[in-house]
Amino acid sequence: MADKVSQRFERAAWRVEDALIAAKELLPKGLYRSPPPWMGYIFILPGLLLVSFLFVGMFILGFYSFLTHDPFEFIIYEFTLENWERLLGTTGYYNIFVRTIFMALLITAISVVLALPYAYLTIRVRSSLVRKLLLVSLFVPFFTGVIVRAYGWLIILGRNGLVNSFLGLFGIEPVRFIGTQLGVVIGLLQIMIPFAIIMIAPAIQNIDRSLERAASNLGANRVSTFRHIIIPLSLPGIAGATIVVFTITSATYAIPALIGGGQVDFVANLIYRTLFDIANWPLAATFSITLVLVSSIVVLFVFQVIGTGTLGVDTGENDE
Amino acid sequence: MNRLFRFTRQLPGEYPLLSILIAFQVVFLMLPTLIVLVVSFQAGDLVRFPPDDFSLQWYAQIPGEDRFISAFYRSIAVALFCTLLAIPIGILTGLGLIRYDIRFEKPLQIYFLLPFTVPLVVSGVILLIILGELGYIGSLWTVGLALTIINIPFMIWSVTSRVNALDPELENAAKNLGADEIQTFINVTLPSLMPGVITGSLIMFVLGLNEFIVSLIITTPDIVTLPVLIYTAIRSNISPLIAAIASVYVFVAFAAVLVADRLVGLEQFLKS
């Protein structure tokens, strides 16, 4: 029975292949015998179009940031500087931007520091069982999604949560995490550390082990080997991790919304409220453009200082 | 410092101090995921520690939760949509970028990374404006399209690495032995790109299933996906029922890690 099905499937596959070949024969011969260079552009066209939503979208955002908002008409296509003046002139908005950048920098720094030893041990540990455990604890959270993990943190950090129940055993007063910066930092770190590890690991993978052995033969202990060999050689990975973690953190929404409980708003929360609570799309576009500008400046700064690192796409043409 | 170093040498194991630090990190990384599972098996309707008793009653209630079940189907639908759309686009882009001599190759690579560099919330605003102007807000396929746009670099990335690894001489050999161009593509090129396609598909599917912020911005109440619905639900209360529903994601995550490990090996994800 199964044989028959697979036979039939095979025959169908042959027929599709024949039809494709017949269709191909209709094209001019040169096209497939020796593909002209412009075929490459046709190949990348669908991808180009797909990403053009965002590319064109950036210009549309810029355009929108100069439009007039009207509570009744929604958007009036009249140019104004009002949105930009509002952004620059409102202390509340300014504070949210400063908080976002500051927290993103803090979380980037801690994530990179914690990710380095994690990535190092994952790659260098001899026991394959330990390596598996480290890989699983890295990828399971990565694939669990932000919302479920934020929910987990609410259960852990809540007033009657895991941490406070544990502290209660020792008669310690409940600590407030929900609605505090500390709670948001904890939640964000758990999301960002896996990203940092994934970006740093390839750089450590590329470090020649004999360098470490040479250092230790020359009398360096583990700490100074780490400082003088591992850290400098994993700089490309650190650059990649810094950029990825900073960009994602500065645009984060779910953790400040759920763990921060409206007390520790990031720019993303501000954008969302502007879009849906006061339905001011031009102002939301202004915030969005500013967020992109600010994070691009940080990214360019990192590029300047440490280079593109593991972020650059390897086209395999570097060895020519 | 020296004393610390001497002390660490007396501890057992290869990297004693490092191992202690990493053990803490493992707990830190896994705890929020695992706690959802623990709470979902709890008997009482108040979340407390340690749980009084364990039961499956919350799982038994899931079949009656129509709103969550239809949101779950929608999430599966958009994740499948974005994966299936990304496969041909990823293969074509990978082949085009590497096999052909394309001008402005460096700027194009940066262009294809745009979905990663534009913050997700900003992508959400852009898509809301574009889809709003076109009048498409409120259709489920727009969510699938949005997911394809924001996650396509994962597919391009993993396919590109396979195109790099594929020796063009292999295809030439097939052609010299009389294979037609289409036959060569189906029997030689595609199979060797498959590992990259599978990795990319796995990442895109799981991320699509989990995607939150862009979906939050562009969905209307009658097409909400599961993460958005869970988010609205936990803002009002954190009943163990939500934990039972959310545990679907924990199972999916473990399954994805298992599949990824079997198919390509988790270590591969840590190579550049």
Side-chain angles (χ1 to χ4, degrees):
Chain A
M1 189 61 202
D3 269 2
K4 256 191 185 156
V5 173
S6 75
Q7 251 178 28
R8 200 171 285 173
F9 181 77
E10 208 165 283
R11 237 174 268 153
W14 280 109
R15 221 169 286 151
V16 171
E17 207 175 296
D18 285 343
L20 282 174
I21 293 173
K24 184 207 72 177
E25 304 277 329
L26 296 176
L27 298 169
K29 231 176 194 166
L31 216 55
Y32 49 85
R33 280 288 146 77
S34 55
W38 51 263
M39 279 285 276
Y41 296 98
I42 304 230
F43 275 25
I44 62 172
L45 190 65
L48 278 179
L49 285 178
L50 197 68
V51 178
S52 71
F53 271 89
L54 298 183
F55 188 70
V56 175
M58 292 304 296
F59 294 99
I60 297 181
L61 272 188
F63 174 69
Y64 256 66
S65 73
F66 292 105
L67 293 181
T68 314
H69 165 72
D70 184 277
F72 305 107
E73 303 263 322
F74 190 48
I75 290 165
I76 302 172
Y77 290 86
E78 240 168 57
F79 289 113
T80 171
L81 286 175
E82 193 197 311
N83 305 305
W84 290 98
E85 281 163 3
R86 242 179 113 175
L87 167 65
L88 296 173
T90 315
T91 334
Y93 298 155
Y94 175 80
N95 285 344
I96 291 180
F97 269 93
V98 171
R99 174 196 290 143
T100 304
I101 295 160
F102 173 75
M103 299 265 281
L105 286 174
L106 177 77
I107 281 151
T108 308
I110 305 177
S111 302
V112 168
V113 168
L114 290 175
L116 251 175
Y118 195 109
Y120 179 79
L121 192 70
T122 310
I123 284 164
R124 289 290 191 249
V125 74
R126 261 189 227 125
S127 148
S128 63
L129 192 72
V130 174
R131 181 175 306 118
K132 211 62 346 133
L133 173 78
L134 293 177
L135 285 167
V136 167
S137 354
L138 164 64
F139 284 108
V140 164
F142 191 73
F143 281 144
T144 310
V146 184
I147 291 301
V148 176
R149 286 188 276 164
Y151 178 56
W153 281 120
L154 287 180
I155 298 170
I156 296 167
L157 301 177
R159 206 182 145 71
N160 302 309
L162 186 65
V163 170
N164 278 327
S165 304
F166 182 72
L167 292 179
L169 295 179
F170 305 96
I172 301 171
E173 284 289 296
V175 181
R176 217 176 79 111
F177 291 103
I178 307 302
T180 67
Q181 298 209 344
L182 178 64
V184 173
V185 168
I186 292 175
L188 280 175
L189 274 180
Q190 197 258 346
I191 288 171
M192 294 309 153
I193 290 173
F195 281 103
I197 298 171
I198 291 171
M199 296 307 298
I200 290 177
I204 293 185
Q205 195 94 274
N206 291 337
I207 297 176
D208 192 347
R209 263 201 114 144
S210 52
L211 280 176
E212 286 166 65
R213 276 193 220 109
S216 98
N217 286 344
L218 293 170
N221 61 33
R222 284 247 168 83
V223 177
S224 55
T225 309
F226 208 81
R227 231 189 82 194
H228 296 290
I229 309 266
I230 305 299
I231 294 182
L233 288 178
S234 44
L235 265 188
I238 294 176
T242 307
I243 290 165
V244 166
V245 173
F246 181 82
T247 324
I248 300 177
T249 314
S250 59
T252 190
Y253 176 88
I255 295 290
L258 287 169
I259 302 183
Q263 309 293 308
V264 197
D265 275 0
F266 276 38
V267 176
N269 308 83
L270 177 67
I271 292 176
Y272 186 82
R273 271 191 323 202
T274 317
L275 274 182
F276 294 100
D277 293 357
I278 56 174
N280 190 339
W281 287 19
L283 190 59
T286 314
F287 293 149
S288 306
I289 285 276
T290 314
L291 180 62
V292 173
L293 286 179
V294 168
S295 50
S296 316
I297 290 171
V298 174
V299 169
L300 285 179
F301 181 74
V302 175
F303 277 157
Q304 281 296 317
V305 177
I306 14 187
T308 52
T310 46
L311 257 191
V313 179
D314 181 19
T315 53
E317 286 167 9
N318 298 341
D319 24 2
E320 279 174 21
Chain B
M1 211 61 203
N2 262 335
R3 195 177 280 170
L4 181 73
F5 177 59
R6 228 172 294 143
F7 167 72
T8 61
R9 287 186 108 174
Q10 289 160 9
L11 287 172
E14 231 181 322
Y15 302 97
L17 268 191
L18 197 62
S19 305
I20 296 169
L21 172 72
I22 304 303
F24 274 109
Q25 281 198 53
V26 167
V27 173
F28 181 72
L29 289 176
M30 287 300 276
L31 197 59
T33 304
L34 294 181
I35 204 81
V36 172
L37 272 191
V38 173
V39 169
S40 72
F41 289 114
Q42 153 171 330
D45 50 0
L46 269 181
V47 176
R48 70 165 71 172
F49 296 97
D52 314 320
D53 205 0
F54 289 99
S55 90
L56 287 173
Q57 63 152 321
W58 300 111
Y59 286 91
Q61 282 191 24
I62 293 181
E65 295 291 326
D66 294 337
R67 255 168 13 109
F68 283 101
I69 288 176
S70 51
F72 175 66
Y73 286 141
R74 278 193 293 268
S75 274
I76 299 265
V78 292
L80 269 181
F81 181 96
C82 82
T83 312
L84 294 179
L85 188 59
I87 291 174
I89 294 179
I91 293 177
L92 284 176
T93 311
L95 286 173
L97 273 182
I98 290 181
R99 281 298 170 77
Y100 290 87
D101 205 10
I102 284 188
R103 285 178 68 191
F104 310 117
E105 194 171 320
K106 275 267 149 20
L108 274 174
Q109 281 170 20
I110 295 172
Y111 177 87
F112 279 114
L113 279 176
L114 209 58
F116 281 178
T117 45
V118 177
L120 279 181
V121 62
V122 177
S123 302
V125 178
I126 289 174
L127 290 165
L128 179 73
I129 291 178
I130 295 180
L131 297 171
E133 293 273 0
L134 296 174
Y136 285 140
I137 289 290
S139 337
L140 195 58
W141 66 267
T142 59
V143 183
L145 179 70
L147 296 184
T148 323
I149 296 172
I150 59 174
N151 286 331
I152 190 75
F154 284 111
M155 183 64 85
I156 297 180
W157 221 339
S158 41
V159 172
T160 306
S161 68
R162 292 305 305 178
V163 179
N164 272 329
L166 169 63
D167 188 353
E169 287 308 314
L170 216 57
E171 291 163 299
N172 290 340
K175 284 182 197 151
N176 284 343
L177 291 170
D180 175 270
E181 282 83 4
I182 299 276
Q183 287 174 326
T184 310
F185 184 76
I186 293 179
N187 297 314
V188 179
T189 317
L190 267 191
S192 42
L193 298 186
M194 252 325 150
V197 173
I198 290 172
T199 313
S201 305
L202 185 77
I203 298 177
M204 294 224 28
F205 183 77
V206 179
L207 291 186
L209 213 54
N210 277 303
E211 206 288 322
F212 167 66
I213 178 66
V214 174
S215 311
L216 178 73
I217 294 177
I218 65 169
T219 51
T220 50
D222 42 309
I223 57 157
V224 283
T225 49
L226 191 53
V228 179
L229 195 60
I230 293 179
Y231 168 77
T232 3
I234 51 182
R235 272 171 77 94
S236 40
N237 68 346
I238 54 167
S239 125
L241 174 64
I242 313 291
I245 291 163
S247 64
V248 133
Y249 280 112
V250 183
F251 297 129
V252 168
F254 274 105
V257 168
L258 199 73
V259 170
D261 194 34
R262 276 287 149 78
L263 287 179
V264 281
L266 288 176
E267 290 91 346
Q268 291 303 316
F269 286 89
L270 296 186
K271 295 195 173 132
S272 51

